[in-house]
Amino acid sequence: MKRLDLLCCCVASLLLLGTAEEAEDASKLTKRDRSHLENTLKLNEDKPADDFSGVLQRLRKIYHSSIKPLEQSYRYNELRQHEITAYPGRTLGSSATDGEITSKPMVLFLGPWSVGKSSMINYLLGLDNTPYQLYTGAEPTTSEFTVIMHGPKLKTIEGIVMAADSARSFSPLEKFGQNFLEKLIGIEVPHKLLERVTFVDTPGIIENRKQQERGYPFNDVCQWFIDRADLIFIVFDPTKLDVGLELEMLFRQLKGRESQIRIILNKADSLATQELMRVYGALFWSLAPLINVTEPPRVYVSSFWPQDYHPDTHRDLFLKEEISLLEDLNQVIENRMENKIAFIRQHAIRVRIHALLVDRYLQTYKDKMTFFSDGELVFRDIVEDPDKFFIFKSILAKTNVSKFDLPNREAYKDFFGINPITSFKLLSQQCSYMGGCFLEKIEKAITRELPDLLGSIGLGKKPSVLSCDITGCGETPKNRYRKP
């Protein structure tokens, strides 16, 4: 019995000694210098942010007067889930924002589980060992979509509150159901970087879990954030390079957004030089079939966490890669107004094409209808085979319409299944004496008003806040019923 007690005492002593050594090693870990991060992101500058209030008011005026009427008349948001969340009943002179029109740039973090997405956000914001830091670990730790945004004090906001608050741009997320809203969380942090950008941390991709087990449409939610992201960080680490079905689906959703994607090989300082080269090649080999671009994607190789790089690693290389990625982030922040105007113009182009297509479907339906025709059968024939009636080819004959911007033909089967064709009016009938014609107004916004607004920013000009209130942003009412 005494021998057993002696053995237990020895084991306990060894455990205490090992714990003390581990604590001593942890205390020796040196923190990485953050001066390059603060300089690149201009966190130390005290100059006031650029005042774009006049530009934003002009942009909102253009959207409300020239784009939104056609968008609502032809129910574009039911064809494309990417609608501008400008809420009805709000005047342009109010202090409330118009959703996405005035939202900050969004940076989206995607990738497999435990590759360092949350740690990277903690590092960029300097949140480690503070009450604000995101929880991290070797196991899957992030099960929610976490929106990190600026606020006067640390505050956690539930998803149901974010979706109900019309002052934010997250109200459309209600369509994904209450199960998803329980997995959505917002965190307000008083940080200078968050005054200019919003970070979104996503659940890690776990290939052995079916999407249905999440309880909400994971891919649809990802698509919503992808459509609104200004920059997309796809993070990998040396131990998770395999591409499964869920990650493959994610890259399909990223098609057309290649210019906004930044691929990151994190935890690179954990590898020796030869191993790093092999991992780098394996990552390219895995991603090659998924990225359909002529040029290879840029992969940033570094270690994004506050601890110093491991000894005997390529410190200079990792630091240069990190600074290069930070410069991309800062460029998005600096160009936020230009990107916003370009986004609204792209949205207007899609709304215009949709309106032209619905108009063409309706005109074809009216041409084929006779007194004895069955309207449902006639229109079903048109929807099932639009090429037979040259629906899409006739749109390509219009000016400023690219075949690459045309929506999927199959989408209109579902669209007209919900919205009867007889509920729409022809574009030629969408005119009024005071308001003008919807089509002419949106074309004017695409070809003249939005490019002029973009040019005024490039030249350093600030549009007058009152210019739109006085002139209506250049729109002069015309009598469409009077002959010239």
Side-chain angles (χ1 to χ4, degrees):
M1 188 69 180
K2 292 182 179 179
R3 291 182 179 179
L4 181 60
D5 292 340
L6 182 62
L7 179 62
C8 291
C9 290
C10 292
V11 172
S13 300
L14 290 173
L15 290 174
L16 289 173
L17 180 62
T19 304
E21 290 177 351
E22 290 176 1
E24 184 179 355
D25 292 339
S27 64
K28 291 180 181 178
L29 290 176
T30 58
K31 297 290 185 179
R32 193 183 307 175
D33 180 33
R34 292 178 54 87
S35 59
H36 66 284
L37 191 150
E38 295 174 352
N39 292 333
T40 305
L41 296 178
K42 303 179 181 179
L43 300 180
N44 293 326
E45 296 184 1
D46 295 329
K47 68 176 184 178
D50 294 331
D51 182 15
F52 290 114
S53 57
V55 177
L56 283 174
Q57 182 168 349
R58 178 90 179 266
L59 184 60
R60 290 200 300 267
K61 183 69 176 181
I62 293 173
Y63 170 71
H64 282 288
S65 63
S66 301
I67 302 173
K68 189 176 181 179
L70 200 65
E71 176 186 339
Q72 291 182 331
S73 179
Y74 288 94
R75 302 169 195 171
Y76 173 76
N77 60 328
E78 296 185 22
L79 176 76
R80 302 271 304 188
Q81 298 302 325
H82 189 141
E83 76 265 30
I84 310 278
T85 54
Y87 301 96
R90 182 177 299 170
T91 61
L92 294 178
S94 66
S95 59
T97 61
D98 278 358
E100 293 172 42
I101 296 180
T102 56
S103 63
K104 300 172 186 175
M106 180 186 293
V107 179
L108 181 65
F109 290 78
L110 299 170
W113 59 276
S114 294
V115 294
K117 299 187 295 296
S118 301
S119 297
M120 187 174 177
I121 295 176
N122 286 335
Y123 171 62
L124 292 174
L125 298 177
L127 301 181
D128 292 274
N129 300 321
T130 69
Y132 310 146
Q133 70 173 352
L134 302 180
Y135 178 67
T136 61
E139 75 283 2
T141 55
T142 304
S143 60
E144 299 93 3
F145 282 81
T146 307
V147 182
I148 302 98
M149 47 197 164
H150 182 265
K153 61 180 180 179
L154 177 64
K155 182 180 179 182
T156 301
I157 306 172
E158 297 295 331
I160 55 175
V161 177
M162 294 176 62
D165 187 359
S166 60
R168 307 181 190 275
S169 59
F170 301 102
S171 293
L173 290 172
E174 280 190 306
K175 65 189 174 187
F176 298 118
Q178 296 303 309
N179 286 339
F180 166 70
L181 294 182
E182 293 178 359
K183 295 294 184 180
L184 175 67
I185 188 171
I187 302 177
E188 290 187 348
V189 181
H191 193 280
K192 189 170 183 179
L193 179 59
L194 294 177
E195 294 177 1
R196 302 185 294 158
V197 70
T198 298
F199 290 144
V200 178
D201 192 14
T202 62
I205 294 172
I206 303 177
E207 296 295 351
N208 60 358
R209 178 186 297 172
K210 295 182 180 178
Q211 178 181 337
Q212 290 77 8
E213 295 179 5
R214 295 182 185 267
Y216 61 89
F218 176 75
N219 291 114
D220 293 340
V221 174
C222 285
Q223 187 67 62
W224 190 92
F225 281 103
I226 288 170
D227 285 342
R228 288 153 179 79
D230 296 86
L231 198 59
I232 302 171
F233 290 158
I234 306 180
V235 187
F236 294 90
D237 77 358
T239 65
K240 299 180 183 67
L241 304 178
D242 295 336
V243 176
L245 293 177
E246 197 166 70
L247 190 58
E248 184 177 351
M249 175 64 70
L250 184 65
F251 271 92
R252 289 179 185 173
Q253 294 177 274
L254 291 167
K255 185 178 180 182
R257 310 298 294 271
E258 287 81 7
S259 63
Q260 295 166 293
I261 295 174
R262 303 294 184 272
I263 299 174
I264 299 170
L265 179 57
N266 200 14
K267 308 178 185 179
D269 63 340
S270 63
L271 300 174
T273 303
Q274 189 175 13
E275 293 176 334
L276 181 59
M277 292 178 64
R278 290 174 178 173
V279 167
Y280 188 83
L283 179 61
F284 261 97
W285 184 82
S286 298
L287 297 181
L290 305 179
I291 302 179
N292 187 23
V293 292
T294 55
E295 298 179 358
R298 171 71 188 275
V299 177
Y300 296 84
V301 182
S302 188
S303 181
F304 293 90
W305 72 324
Q307 309 301 335
D308 199 4
Y309 299 114
H310 287 186
D312 302 325
T313 56
H314 300 277
R315 303 171 62 92
D316 293 339
L317 171 64
F318 297 154
L319 182 59
K320 289 179 180 178
E321 290 283 281
E322 182 179 326
I323 292 176
S324 181
L325 184 66
L326 294 175
E327 288 174 347
D328 282 354
L329 174 58
N330 187 66
Q331 192 69 25
V332 168
I333 296 173
E334 295 291 333
N335 296 337
R336 60 191 180 279
M337 204 63 241
E338 291 89 338
N339 293 337
K340 189 70 65 177
I341 296 173
F343 161 72
I344 298 296
R345 185 175 183 273
Q346 181 187 49
H347 177 77
I349 291 173
R350 290 172 175 170
V351 171
R352 173 179 177 265
I353 292 175
H354 170 66
L356 290 171
L357 282 169
V358 174
D359 179 75
R360 184 59 186 171
Y361 272 104
L362 180 57
Q363 187 63 60
T364 303
Y365 170 75
K366 289 181 176 292
D367 292 343
K368 298 299 177 182
M369 278 293 294
T370 63
F371 183 78
F372 299 101
S373 299
D374 186 332
E376 184 176 349
L377 293 178
V378 169
F379 190 66
R380 185 185 304 171
D381 187 31
I382 298 173
V383 172
E384 290 294 334
D385 189 7
D387 291 336
K388 176 181 176 183
F389 301 94
F390 304 101
I391 300 291
F392 285 80
K393 288 184 178 179
S394 64
I395 299 302
L396 291 176
K398 301 280 186 181
T399 57
N400 299 325
V401 175
S402 169
K403 66 178 180 180
F404 302 105
D405 291 331
L406 293 177
N408 189 347
R409 290 163 171 76
E410 297 298 320
Y412 281 93
K413 293 182 181 179
D414 297 331
F415 176 77
F416 286 118
I418 301 173
N419 303 283
I421 188 64
T422 53
S423 63
F424 297 100
K425 294 181 179 179
L426 292 172
L427 279 172
S428 58
Q429 299 173 344
Q430 299 279 15
C431 297
S432 66
Y433 174 74
M434 294 298 298
C437 292
F438 288 175
L439 183 60
E440 290 185 9
K441 292 175 71 175
I442 198 171
E443 288 178 345
K444 182 179 178 181
I446 293 170
T447 58
R448 223 172 73 193
E449 293 176 342
L450 291 173
D452 288 349
L453 187 60
L454 190 61
S456 69
I457 297 177
L459 295 175
K461 300 177 182 178
K462 297 293 190 301
S464 171
V465 174
L466 299 176
S467 61
C468 291
D469 296 331
I470 296 173
T471 66
C473 292
E475 179 65 25
T476 303
K478 298 178 181 179
N479 189 342
R480 305 293 173 180
Y481 306 100
R482 182 178 299 171
K483 295 182 179 180

